[in-house]
């Protein structure tokens, strides 16, 4: 693989097809820092099934996985691995013989206590996902029963992400639930700062979305759910608060893309705050979000082509819009502030 590897123990039982690997480490290309490591890998396979073109794994268990991805501009710390396998594959003549597809049965797939580290050196930001765990009871070719899978991992603070999915392998129907609890937005401040001149981007987001559809017709997927952000705050480069809210809430009744239907049951802005400052022909929002006067004042003329094919009418609605105890502060350079 072109990388140094160390491990404590490797046990393979040829007759039962059981493989156990402990204290595994794969190093970076400099042979010093660790790229991927884990405590225990257990694979319980049925090797005799491979003779009949069938891959059967009774259990796949991985504990204590720690993986670090480093990005600097468009360069990643795994680029040499991709190049290594790409070169090896190109050197092997392709087999043009037509063969039957390999059938598979994968049972009891479990990831426990994993940690993923993403170091984006371009914006000098490191994101860590702690205690990532999931369990999949069964995935198989020509599976007849529904398969359930779940994924959960903790954020650096008190929050977590949790998901579950239920799939009918024959009909293709699926139901999924995605839940985010107490995701602190300040973790994304450096990314927002790449597009806006801000010192602060704060708040705590929670959401719960239900997704249903059919894997054979993904464009007919439907989405519903709720989302809220507490203690939202944005400040400019002078640490002046220009956007904020005690609570932002959204109750999404339905997104039905195939029927062009978008229905929001309610939007709630509790104690919102907006500070808007006019300075000549510009304003603080133009300065913060890098909107130039030339771009704002320019007029573009484009050729418009009329499509004679009847399109599905767009249906969108917000059933309830609630603003509670809001503050809008306006200020100009030619008059006193208006409160």
């Amino acid at each position: 693989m072109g990388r140094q590897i160390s491990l404590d123990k490797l046990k393979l039982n040829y007759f039962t097809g059981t493989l156990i690997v402990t204290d595994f480490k794969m190093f970076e290309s400099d042979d010093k820092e660790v790229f991927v490591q884990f405590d225990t890998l257990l694979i319980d396979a049925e090797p005799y099934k491979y003779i009949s073109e069938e891959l059967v794994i009774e259990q796949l268990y991985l504990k204590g996985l720690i993986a670090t991805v480093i990005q600097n501009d468009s360069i990643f710390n795994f680029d040499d691995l991709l190049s290594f396998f790409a070169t090896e594959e190109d050197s092997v003549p392709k087999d043009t013989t037509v063969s039957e597809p390999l059938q598979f049965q994968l049972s009891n797939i479990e990831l426990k206590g994993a940690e993923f580290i993403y170091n984006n050196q371009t914006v000098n930001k490191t994101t860590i996902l702690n205690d990532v765990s999931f369990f999949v009871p069964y995935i198989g070719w020509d599976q007849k029963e529904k398969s359930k899978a779940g994924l959960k991992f903790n954020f650096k603070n008190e929050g977590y992400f949790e998901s579950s999915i239920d799939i009918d392998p024959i009909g293709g129907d699926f139901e999924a639930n995605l839940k985010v609890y107490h995701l602190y937005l300040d973790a994304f401040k450096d990314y927002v700062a790449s597009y806006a001149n801000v010192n602060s981007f704060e708040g705590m987001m929670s959401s719960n979305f239900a997704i249903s559809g059919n894997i054979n017709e993904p464009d007919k997927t439907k989405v519903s759910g709720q989302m809220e952000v507490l203690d939202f705050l944005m400040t400019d480069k002078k640490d002046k608060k220009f956007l904020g809210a005690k609570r932002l809430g959204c109750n999404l009744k339905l997104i039905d893309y195939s029927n062009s239907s978008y229905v929001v049951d309610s939007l709630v802005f509790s104690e919102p705050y907006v500070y808007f400052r006019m300075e000549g022909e510009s304003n603080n929002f133009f300065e913060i979000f890098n909107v130039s006067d030339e771009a704002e004042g320019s007029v573009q003329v484009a050729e418009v082509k009329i499509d004679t094919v009847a399109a599905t009418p767009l249906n969108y609605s917000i059933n309830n819009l609630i603003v509670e105890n809001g503050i809008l502060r306006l200020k100009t350079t030619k008059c006193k502030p208006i409160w």
Side-chain angles (χ1 to χ4, degrees), residues 27 56 194 201 220 236 247 297 329 338:
F27 292 89
V56 178
S194 300
F201 181 73
K220 295 184 178 181
D236 59 20
R247 176 179 179 269
R329 184 182 180 188
I338 303 174

Side-chain angles (χ1 to χ4, degrees), residues 122-141:
T122 306
V123 295
N124 194 25
K125 180 68 176 179
T126 299
T127 303
I128 302 176
L129 300 180
N130 293 314
D131 196 21
V132 180
S133 301
F134 67 81
F135 179 77
V136 180
Y138 183 79
I139 299 176
W141 181 275

Side-chain angles (χ1 to χ4, degrees), residues 146-314:
K146 288 186 176 182
S147 179
K148 296 183 178 180
L151 168 66
K152 182 177 181 179
F153 58 82
N154 297 324
F155 301 133
K156 186 177 181 180
N157 297 308
E158 62 186 82
Y160 62 85
F161 170 87
E162 186 176 42
S163 68
S164 62
I165 185 169
D166 192 346
I167 302 177
D168 180 357
I170 298 178
D173 293 336
F174 71 89
E175 294 180 355
N177 185 268
L178 305 178
K179 182 177 181 180
V180 174
Y181 179 74
H182 285 186
L183 172 63
Y184 285 86
L185 300 183
D186 58 353
F188 304 95
K189 194 268 283 188
D190 292 335
Y191 296 98
V192 176
S194 300
Y195 303 95
N197 299 314
V198 297
N199 276 356
S200 300
F201 181 73
E202 300 177 6
M204 184 174 64
M205 189 268 286
S206 296
S207 64
N208 193 346
F209 288 99
I211 305 172
S212 61
N214 189 287
I215 57 177
N216 300 313
E217 297 178 304
D219 59 318
K220 295 184 178 181
T221 299
K222 298 180 179 180
V223 181
S224 62
Q226 304 83 34
M227 182 182 71
E228 74 169 5
V229 178
L230 302 178
D231 300 324
F232 179 70
L233 171 67
M234 292 184 72
T235 64
D236 59 20
K237 283 296 185 179
K238 297 180 180 180
D239 282 330
K240 177 68 176 179
K241 176 182 175 181
F242 68 94
L243 274 181
K246 185 67 176 178
R247 176 179 179 269
L248 305 174
C250 176
N251 189 350
L252 179 63
K253 188 173 183 179
L254 179 66
I255 292 180
D256 186 355
Y257 174 78
S258 62
N259 293 313
S260 300
S261 178
Y262 307 86
V263 181
V264 176
D265 188 59
S266 63
L267 277 178
V268 180
F269 299 87
S270 180
E271 299 183 25
Y273 176 89
V274 178
Y275 172 70
F276 188 81
R277 185 185 72 251
M278 289 289 297
E279 293 184 353
E281 296 181 356
S282 185
N283 59 73
N284 61 325
F285 278 78
F286 283 4
E287 296 171 358
I288 293 170
F289 295 103
N290 298 315
V291 178
S292 63
D293 296 336
E294 292 79 6
E296 180 67 16
S298 63
V299 178
Q300 296 181 355
V301 179
E303 180 182 356
V304 179
K305 295 182 178 180
I306 300 176
D307 190 355
T308 57
V309 179
T312 304
L314 179 64

